[in-house]
């Protein structure tokens, strides 16, 4: 029944064989057909962008995304696994720009053209699809790629348009002039959740203190602080707090400075205080503009105003205000009616009218501005600080805050619903719900959805050129277009509508949509809802389970939550696993510059997919980082997969020799050896633990429990039961051992199938007439559980551990039998006590002692028995050197005298049984492969020959 097992297995090669079998048999499709019509378990695949090759960190997320659908399928659910491709946005555009060796919107529009550029973007997102499919197959991640959704299709785009129109009709979409995170290289604003994806630590920036001279008192300056000197040419006001205490101090021989009393530490020297005042006493004071560029032709600027955001935590207690480059700044200037205009263009460079710095990028301008202020005596001091700063999450350009017109979704209006829906969601790890995600929602700001770019879902907003009337469309039909018409720029830019209000011409706004809105719409857009797929959507919403890395908390996880809350008043997912990062063994993020990037194919071909997956399931808690490298993965293979394979190989080897038939009548459990009863009870508990853990979306403890069980199986059950398989007579005890080990191995294969799909299937097929484990049902709870046997065996193993430690302390080899050992605690049942005696190699156990104590007196009989055990070890070593299989029976010859000869003569039967020796005879023979040895100070020759 069982095929021979290669003890020197190559797991990578084994996986390729199984992968070929799956493809040949259509195993994935069969698993779907097997559960068709059963209750659904809904899984959403977070769509990757296929314009780059998959990397090692993708294995992590996909290992978890594959685990639970496999488990639920085995539990009887129908689990559709629809693949998806995220095809729009800056990630795609930037890659195309790199290939074209261009950068920025000017070159795209004037050298390439939008139409050609978008054609290249479309081609780019198909470039690595085959790599991703091969990657998924190689790591055992089952996905339906034949029916994948693409965010670039007209169907998908129209579903997204429908979502925007629903929000529009609720009054949640508006155009606003606001300060937003802005990338000058990409020339587009970013949403707050995109901002959160690009922060870098320990970024150096200037920290400068600037004198603003009062018009009424030219020798007196108000001291203000900034880390963005480039905003100083646009300064229009200074902000103070009415109730903060301020002081006037000497500055040099005849100058004075005003700053908050609580911030005296920033001064270069111990101050001489000449006056004290409240912030309200400063309000209204005019000061000289640092530069003429922000002086308004009409209205008032460059004076002190009161504000509610001023603090004394840092700086000077005075906030330099440039309206267009700070959220609070713009709000304050709008409230006070202070005029403002941009000094910096959309490309991040100073505009031509800012003559001193015209054409300089803001970061390039910083030192030039400081030199200018220093020369004019306005720079009090300049330092460098290290702080956390936002960079563009895709092109790594430092972001700036910049005021411009953008389209927004008013998520703040539904903040309470967002928080409530998040609270109803099961997060793993749990702290993310109220921590990272909860904090984010508490500080929610409206979603900036427009991007001033090219390759994306076009915003479906049309505006009348004559009267300004606005309209949001929800489908191609509303535009008089065919349903399959491509809706991308530049074609869609040419589509006009008649204005129903004034009869004028309505044109589409030029912006495209934030690509996160695309991916967050996938629950309904993948079904082409609401124009099609209504039933399919209703059956598959919300998802029971999603999983991605931690950085998606404010990315895909948020966009799913926000869109579904606004449209359907509930979250799009019930359970979410939030994973940490894959880092190198030293804890550093992988990067090409560090040379620590791990190639997924190298890992698959060196250690095997199952080993990589198993490492991710067992090495650390979900949410922590995974220190991944060769050593850790090699250890995973050596400590789990090889011991498990050895257990499986041991069973198959002897089952083939004895012709074991799993269909033969089972020996009643109650009549089996105590080791059998212990193991079956452990199997039952393991099944409950794995099922219970996975039901709670915990993969870590179930996998670790399986690993501990394999250690018990190998190092306790099989080691202690080996003689039962070796013996020549086929009695009920031998049959019980086979039946027990067979059941344990089959159950392990099923329990670990969702975790390690390749090796589990390879073993299960050989144990089950070629059937795939992935078409089997997850093991049901066993009726057999014996807590007392487990408790007694646990005590026995503790006694063995304590006894071995005592022998080690007394420097007594375990092969040397002893008369007795005294142990604390109550007596063990005899069948378990016998195991302890054999493990400790003692003749008697004495319980109830205050501590462990060995009887170390060695009689001649004990000495002879110990020498017999040394002979057994020498023969076993010789077997290994000769490359004999564990099941091979042998003929043994020896040449010895003295105590060794007496030991062999006294314990010959024991030696034959332990070494599978058919004969054990004195004297050398030419056809025996032998060697001369020294055992316990005596010479012996041992020769072996295969039977």
């Amino acid at each position: 029944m069982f095929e021979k097992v290669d003890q020197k297995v190559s797991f990578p090669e084994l996986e390729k064989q199984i992968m070929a079998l799956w493809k040949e048999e259509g195993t994935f499709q069969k698993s779907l057909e097997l559960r068709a019509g059963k209750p659904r378990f809904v899984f959403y695949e977070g769509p990757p962008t296929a314009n780059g090759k998959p990397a090692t960190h993708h294995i992590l997320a996909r290992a978890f995304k594959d685990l639970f659908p496999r488990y639920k399928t085995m539990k009887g659910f129908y689990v559709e696994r629809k693949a998806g491709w995220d095809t729009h946005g800056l990630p795609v555009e930037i890659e195309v720009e790199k290939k074209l060796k261009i950068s920025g919107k000017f070159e795209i529009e004037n050298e390439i053209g939008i139409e050609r550029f978008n054609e290249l973007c479309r081609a780019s997102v198909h470039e690595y699809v085959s790599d991703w499919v091969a990657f998924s197959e190689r790591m055992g991640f089952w996905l339906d790629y034949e029916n994948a959704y693409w965010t670039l299709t007209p169907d998908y785009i129209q579903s997204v348009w429908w979502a925007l129109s629903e929000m529009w009709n609720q009054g949640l979409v508006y155009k606003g002039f606001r300060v937003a995170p802005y990338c000058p290289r990409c020339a587009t604003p970013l949403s707050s959740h995109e901002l959160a994806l690009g922060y870098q630590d320990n970024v150096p920036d200037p920290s400068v203190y600037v004198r603003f001279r009062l018009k009424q008192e030219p020798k007196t300056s108000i001291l203000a602080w900034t880390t963005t000197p480039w905003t100083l040419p646009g300064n229009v006001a200074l902000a103070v707090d009415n109730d903060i205490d301020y002081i006037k101090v000497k500055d040099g021989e005849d100058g004075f400075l005003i700053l908050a009393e609580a911030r005296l530490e920033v001064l270069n020297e111990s101050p001489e205080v000449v006056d004290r005042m409240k912030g309200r006493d400063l309000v209204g004071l005019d000061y000289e503009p640092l530069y003429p560029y922000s002086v308004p032709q009409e209205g008032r600027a460059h004076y002190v105003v009161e504000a509610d955001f001023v603090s004394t935590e840092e700086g000077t207690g005075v906030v330099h205000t440039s309206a267009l480059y700070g959220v609070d700044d713009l709000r304050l200037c709008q409230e006070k009616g202070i005029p403002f205009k941009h000094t910096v263009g959309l490309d991040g460079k100073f505009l031509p009218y800012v003559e001193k710095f015209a054409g300089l990028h803001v970061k390039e301008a910083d030192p030039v501005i400081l030199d200018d202020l220093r020369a004019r005596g306005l720079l009090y001091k300049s330092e460098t600080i290290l702080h956390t700063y936002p960079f563009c999450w895709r092109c790594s350009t430092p972001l700036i805050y910049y005021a411009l017109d953008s389209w927004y979704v008013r998520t703040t209006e539904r903040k309470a619903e967002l928080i409530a829906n998040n609270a109803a969601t099961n997060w793993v790890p749990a702290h993310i719900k109220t921590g990272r995600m909860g904090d984010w929602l508490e500080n929610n700001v409206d979603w900036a959805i427009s991007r001033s770019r090219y390759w994306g879902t076009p915003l479906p907003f049309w505006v009348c050129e004559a009267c300004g009337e606005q309209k949001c469309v929800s489908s191609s039909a509303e535009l008089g277009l065919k349903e399959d018409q491509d809706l991308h720029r530049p074609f869609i830019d040419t589509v006009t509508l008649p204005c129903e209000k004034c009869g004028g011409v309505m044109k589409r706004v030029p912006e495209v949509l934030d690509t996160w809105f695309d991916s967050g719409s996938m629950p309904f857009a993948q079904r082409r809802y609401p124009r099609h797929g209504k039933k399919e959507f209703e059956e598959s919403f919300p998802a029971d389970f999603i999983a991605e890395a931690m950085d998606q908390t404010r990315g895909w996880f948020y966009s799913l939550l926000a869109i579904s809350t606004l449209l359907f008043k509930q979250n799009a997912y019930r359970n979410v696993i939030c994973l940490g990062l894959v880092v190198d063994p030293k804890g550093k993020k992988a990067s090409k510059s560090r040379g620590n990037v791990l190639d997924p194919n190298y890992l698959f071909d060196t250690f095997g997919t199952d080993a990589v997956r198993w490492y991710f399931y067992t090495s650390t808690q979900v949410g922590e980082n995974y220190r991944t490298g060769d050593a850790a993965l090699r250890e995973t293979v050596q400590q789990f997969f090889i011991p498990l394979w050895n257990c499986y190989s041991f069973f198959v080897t002897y089952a083939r020799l004895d012709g074991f038939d799993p269909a033969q009548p089972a020996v009643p459990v109650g009549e089996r050896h105590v080791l059998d009863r212990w193991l079956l009870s452990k199997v039952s508990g393991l099944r409950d633990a794995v099922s219970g853990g996975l039901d709670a979306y915990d993969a870590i403890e179930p996998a670790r429990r399986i690993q501990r069980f394999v250690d018990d199986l190998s190092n306790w059950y099989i080691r202690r039961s080996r003689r039962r398989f070796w013996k020549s007579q086929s009695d009920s005890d031998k049959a019980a051992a086979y039946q027990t080990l067979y059941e344990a191995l089959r159950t392990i294969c099923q329990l670990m199938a969702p975790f390690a799909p390749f090796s589990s299937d390879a073993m299960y097929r050989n144990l089950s007439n070629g059937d795939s484990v992935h078409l089997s049902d997850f093991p049901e709870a066993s009726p057999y559980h014996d807590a007392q046997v487990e408790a007694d065996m646990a005590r026995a193993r503790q006694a063995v551990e304590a006894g071995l430690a005592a022998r080690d302390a007394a420097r007594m080899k375990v092969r040397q039998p002893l008369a007795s050992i005294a142990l604390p605690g109550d007596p063990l049942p005899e069948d378990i006590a016998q195991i302890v005696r054999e493990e400790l190699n003692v003749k008697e156990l004495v319980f109830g002692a205050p501590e462990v104590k060995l009887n170390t007196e060695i009689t001649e009989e004990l000495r002879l028995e110990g020498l017999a055990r040394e002979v057994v070890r020498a023969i076993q070593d010789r077997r290994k050197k000769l490359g004999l299989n564990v099941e091979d029976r042998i003929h043994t010859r020896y040449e010895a005298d003295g105590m060794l000869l007496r030991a062999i003569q006294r314990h010959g039967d024991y030696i034959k049984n332990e070494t599978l020796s058919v004969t054990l005879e004195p004297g050398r023979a030419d056809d025996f492969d032998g060697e001369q040895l020294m055992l316990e100070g005596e010479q012996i020759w041992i020769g072996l020959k295969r039977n």
Side-chain angles (χ1 to χ4, degrees):
M1 174 186 175
F2 308 106
E3 296 294 327
K4 187 177 180 180
V5 173
D6 184 358
Q7 288 181 299
K8 297 179 180 178
V9 63
S10 164
F11 289 110
E13 289 305 312
L14 180 75
E15 290 173 355
K16 290 175 183 176
Q17 294 168 19
I18 293 298
M19 189 166 62
L21 261 179
W22 289 347
K23 189 171 289 188
E24 179 187 329
E25 297 175 356
T27 313
F28 173 37
Q29 187 60 36
K30 283 182 180 177
S31 74
L32 294 173
E33 294 168 356
L34 188 67
R35 306 302 184 189
K38 301 293 184 183
R40 276 181 177 259
F41 175 82
V42 181
F43 159 70
Y44 290 162
E45 159 67 342
T49 305
N51 71 326
K53 290 186 177 183
T56 297
H57 65 273
H58 292 110
I59 305 175
L60 171 62
R62 293 183 158 223
F64 279 82
K65 290 193 282 188
D66 185 62
L67 166 63
F68 290 94
R70 284 187 183 274
Y71 167 67
K72 289 296 184 178
T73 298
M74 293 179 73
K75 292 285 282 186
F77 291 88
Y78 175 73
V79 188
E80 180 188 30
R81 276 165 267 185
K82 192 178 183 71
W85 300 108
D86 197 4
T87 58
H88 286 148
L90 276 173
V92 181
E93 292 195 25
I94 290 171
E95 286 303 311
V96 172
E97 287 184 55
K98 288 178 182 177
K99 289 178 181 178
L100 294 173
K101 297 182 179 178
I102 63 172
S103 179
K105 296 177 70 173
F106 180 86
E107 291 177 272
I108 292 172
E109 293 184 10
N110 295 282
E111 295 182 18
I112 307 298
I114 296 174
E115 183 173 4
R116 176 62 179 151
F117 183 75
N118 276 359
E119 285 175 1
L120 294 170
C121 287
R122 182 188 296 273
S124 170
V125 299
H126 291 84
E127 186 170 351
Y128 296 106
V129 166
S130 60
D131 294 80
W132 279 89
V133 173
F135 169 77
S136 296
E137 290 177 352
R138 184 62 188 87
M139 69 159 291
F141 181 29
W142 280 354
L143 278 180
D144 180 3
Y145 282 107
E146 290 184 8
N147 297 294
Y149 66 88
W150 294 75
T151 62
L152 55 70
T153 64
D155 280 329
Y156 198 99
I157 289 173
Q158 288 177 80
S159 290
V160 173
W161 280 7
W162 167 81
L164 285 167
S165 72
E166 289 292 298
M167 296 175 190
W168 180 283
N169 294 337
Q170 295 177 50
L172 297 175
V173 179
Y174 68 95
K175 187 176 186 180
F177 183 74
R178 299 172 63 168
V179 172
Y182 181 83
C183 176
R185 196 219 71 86
C186 300
T188 189
L190 283 75
S191 64
S192 55
H193 48 275
E194 286 180 301
L195 175 72
L197 298 174
Y199 278 105
Q200 295 182 19
D201 295 327
N202 298 317
V203 176
D205 256 332
S207 170
V208 300
Y209 297 82
V210 179
R211 298 180 177 95
F212 290 81
R213 290 172 178 160
L214 293 177
K215 283 187 175 180
Q216 295 89 342
E217 302 177 48
K219 292 186 177 181
T220 300
S221 297
I222 295 178
L223 190 65
W225 171 75
T226 184
T227 59
T228 54
W230 65 268
T231 61
L232 290 171
N235 170 270
V236 291
L238 295 175
V240 298
D241 186 287
N242 275 339
D243 298 319
I244 288 178
D245 292 318
Y246 291 83
I247 55 172
K248 184 176 181 180
V249 300
K250 289 276 288 180
D251 179 29
E253 292 186 5
D254 59 352
F256 302 94
L257 290 175
I258 295 175
L259 72 162
E261 185 171 10
R263 299 301 301 162
L264 290 178
E265 65 192 65
V266 306
L267 297 176
N268 293 331
E269 53 191 34
S270 182
E272 180 183 334
V273 179
V274 298
D275 197 4
R276 283 183 162 80
M277 64 214 74
K278 288 286 188 181
R280 61 175 53 89
D281 299 321
L282 300 172
V283 172
L285 294 178
D286 293 299
Y287 61 88
E288 295 288 346
L290 294 182
Y291 294 98
Y293 314 119
S294 56
V295 176
Q297 292 183 349
E298 296 182 5
R300 185 186 180 196
H302 303 104
Y303 65 100
V304 180
V305 297
E306 60 88 16
D308 57 7
F309 55 79
V310 179
S311 79
T312 55
E313 294 293 315
E314 57 186 1
T316 66
V318 179
V319 176
H320 136 67
T321 303
S322 54
L324 296 166
Y325 310 114
V327 175
D328 290 328
D329 303 47
L330 180 59
R331 174 174 59 84
L332 178 65
C333 291
Q334 288 173 331
E335 289 174 357
K336 303 295 183 183
I338 300 174
F340 47 77
K341 61 179 178 178
H342 271 298
T343 53
V344 173
L346 292 170
D347 57 359
K349 298 178 180 178
F350 279 96
L351 294 166
Y353 84 90
V354 187
E355 295 171 353
K356 275 193 176 182
F357 316 113
L360 286 178
H361 187 276
V362 291
K363 291 295 183 180
E364 296 172 341
D366 277 348
V368 181
I369 292 170
L370 295 183
D371 287 344
D372 179 70
L373 293 174
R374 185 179 293 109
R376 294 159 55 200
L378 298 177
L379 183 64
Y380 179 73
K381 72 174 179 179
S382 174
E383 301 168 334
T384 299
I385 61 168
L386 297 176
H387 63 164
T388 302
Y389 193 87
F391 287 71
C392 179
W393 67 290
R394 280 306 183 186
C395 77
S396 298
T397 298
L399 299 179
I400 60 176
Y401 281 85
Y402 194 92
L404 72 171
D405 285 322
S406 293
W407 291 90
Y408 291 87
V409 171
R410 210 184 309 271
T411 52
T412 52
E413 190 169 302
R414 302 290 171 83
K415 175 180 172 180
E417 290 177 48
L418 289 169
I419 291 171
N421 288 340
N422 178 61
T425 302
N426 175 43
W427 282 82
V428 180
H431 65 81
I432 302 294
K433 177 193 291 190
T434 54
R436 186 180 176 92
M437 189 63 159
D439 292 343
W440 174 253
L441 295 176
E442 286 291 345
N443 297 288
N444 184 255
V445 297
D446 288 347
W447 185 347
I449 60 169
S450 57
R451 299 291 177 271
S452 304
R453 297 297 299 188
Y454 312 100
W455 179 243
T457 294
L459 287 180
F461 309 149
W462 269 255
V463 180
C464 178
E465 291 183 315
C467 71
E469 178 73 3
Q470 297 178 347
K471 178 183 177 70
C472 176
V473 304
S474 63
S475 68
S476 296
E478 289 184 50
L479 299 173
L481 303 175
K482 293 180 180 179
E483 192 164 284
D484 61 353
Q485 172 68 53
D486 179 35
L487 299 174
H488 289 95
R489 299 187 69 189
F491 165 76
I492 197 67
D493 298 337
T494 66
V495 176
T496 61
L497 291 172
C499 178
E500 296 177 0
K501 186 175 181 181
C502 75
V505 177
M506 302 186 86
K507 289 189 174 181
R508 195 190 73 83
V509 301
E511 294 89 351
V512 296
L513 184 63
D514 177 6
T515 189
W516 289 105
F517 201 102
D518 279 355
S519 57
S521 299
M522 60 77 53
F524 53 90
Q526 67 173 336
R527 307 294 180 188
R528 306 186 297 163
Y529 181 89
R531 297 167 359 274
H532 307 280
K534 189 172 187 291
K535 180 174 180 289
E536 290 87 346
F537 168 62
E538 290 173 351
E539 290 177 348
S540 60
F541 180 83
D544 292 298
F545 164 68
I546 61 172
E548 292 291 348
M550 188 75 71
D551 57 2
Q552 294 298 323
T553 307
R554 296 165 184 179
W556 190 50
F557 297 158
Y558 172 72
S559 63
L560 283 171
L561 169 65
I563 293 170
S564 289
T565 296
L566 269 54
L567 295 179
F568 307 113
K569 300 187 182 303
Q570 61 177 308
N571 199 352
Y573 48 91
R574 294 189 175 102
N575 302 279
V576 52
I577 291 181
C578 202
L579 299 157
L581 301 175
V582 177
V583 296
D584 73 7
K586 295 180 180 178
K588 293 181 179 179
K589 289 181 70 174
S591 69
K592 291 180 181 178
S593 61
R594 289 197 181 105
N596 62 351
V597 176
L598 285 172
D599 176 12
N601 290 318
Y602 164 76
L603 299 181
F604 296 152
D605 294 341
T606 305
F607 307 103
T609 290
D610 282 353
V612 182
R613 289 174 61 134
W614 195 262
Y615 172 75
F616 286 143
Y617 298 136
T618 57
S619 60
T620 190
Q621 290 297 324
V622 165
E624 301 296 322
N625 290 344
Y626 299 82
R627 297 189 174 215
T628 308
D630 283 26
L633 295 170
R634 189 175 298 110
E635 186 177 275
T636 300
V637 175
Q638 293 170 346
Q639 293 189 355
F640 178 66
F641 286 97
I642 289 177
L644 174 59
W645 191 264
N646 287 342
C647 293
Y648 160 67
S649 174
F650 173 87
F651 168 81
V652 171
T653 297
Y654 285 101
R656 281 168 54 85
L657 282 173
D658 286 329
F660 168 67
D661 181 2
Q664 71 186 53
V667 177
V669 174
E671 298 176 13
R672 299 190 194 186
H673 191 286
V674 67
L675 279 165
D676 297 341
R677 289 182 278 122
W678 168 77
L679 187 67
L680 290 174
S681 184
K682 294 283 283 186
V683 167
S684 177
L686 178 65
R687 182 267 168 209
D688 293 344
V690 172
S691 184
L694 292 180
D695 284 342
Y697 295 91
D698 174 14
I700 311 306
E701 187 54 29
R704 289 177 174 176
R705 286 284 294 264
I706 292 172
Q707 185 154 337
R708 291 196 294 269
F709 178 84
V710 169
D711 183 67
D712 286 342
L713 179 69
S714 174
N715 293 320
W716 191 251
Y717 179 80
I718 289 179
R719 188 172 60 78
R720 290 298 317 154
S721 301
R722 201 171 261 121
R723 292 186 192 89
R724 300 168 65 200
F725 295 92
W726 285 351
K727 62 185 179 182
S728 56
Q729 64 270 36
S730 295
D731 55 14
S732 63
D733 178 60
K734 190 173 190 177
Y738 273 122
Q739 290 169 359
T740 300
L741 183 52
Y742 175 75
E743 182 177 342
L745 286 170
R746 263 178 54 101
T747 303
I748 289 172
C749 289
Q750 291 175 301
L751 295 180
M752 66 182 282
F755 300 88
F758 292 102
S759 53
S760 61
D761 203 21
M763 292 185 290
Y764 187 86
R765 284 173 182 268
N766 198 21
L767 298 173
S768 307
N769 293 317
D771 297 332
S772 173
V773 70
H774 303 296
L775 301 180
S776 71
D777 293 336
F778 202 76
E780 293 298 321
S782 168
Y784 183 76
H785 183 69
D786 194 328
Q788 189 60 55
V789 166
E790 288 194 45
D792 288 341
M793 195 67 78
R795 283 180 55 214
R797 297 182 75 175
Q798 290 170 358
V800 168
E801 185 178 348
L804 291 175
R807 291 193 73 124
D808 187 58
R811 297 188 177 182
M812 302 293 294
K813 289 182 178 180
V814 178
R815 284 189 292 275
Q816 174 58 60
L818 297 176
S820 65
I821 184 172
L823 295 166
D826 297 330
L828 288 164
E830 176 52 29
D831 51 2
I832 293 180
Q834 177 61 26
I835 294 172
V836 177
R837 286 195 292 270
E838 292 175 5
E839 281 290 301
L840 294 179
N841 198 8
V842 298
K843 303 300 181 184
E844 183 183 6
L845 300 179
V846 179
F847 290 97
E851 60 183 2
V852 178
K853 188 172 182 180
L854 286 170
N855 179 349
T856 57
E857 181 184 351
I858 300 175
T859 65
E860 182 176 311
E861 182 57 38
L862 293 173
R863 170 71 173 156
L864 291 175
E865 187 177 339
L867 287 172
R869 288 175 179 263
E870 294 290 347
V871 172
V872 167
R873 181 186 64 81
I875 294 174
Q876 302 289 36
D877 288 346
R878 190 72 192 146
R879 286 179 64 108
K880 290 179 183 177
K881 287 180 182 177
L882 296 178
L884 296 173
N885 296 322
V886 292
E887 72 273 15
D888 287 343
R889 297 192 177 270
I890 58 173
H891 295 282
T892 304
R893 300 190 72 87
Y894 64 89
E895 188 174 83
D897 53 21
M899 292 286 282
L900 276 176
L901 177 60
R902 291 172 59 195
I904 294 171
Q905 292 170 338
R906 180 74 60 88
H907 298 286
D909 288 343
Y910 163 77
I911 294 171
K912 287 164 66 177
N913 287 335
E914 289 293 308
T915 61
L916 298 185
S917 294
V918 178
T919 59
L920 177 64
E921 297 177 344
R924 302 190 184 208
D926 292 340
D927 56 343
F928 277 67
D929 198 325
E931 66 177 335
Q932 190 77 22
L933 302 168
M934 179 74 74
L935 288 183
E936 298 296 302
E938 295 187 22
Q939 291 284 336
I940 184 172
W941 179 89
I942 294 174
L944 307 183
K945 182 173 73 172
R946 194 194 308 263
N947 183 25

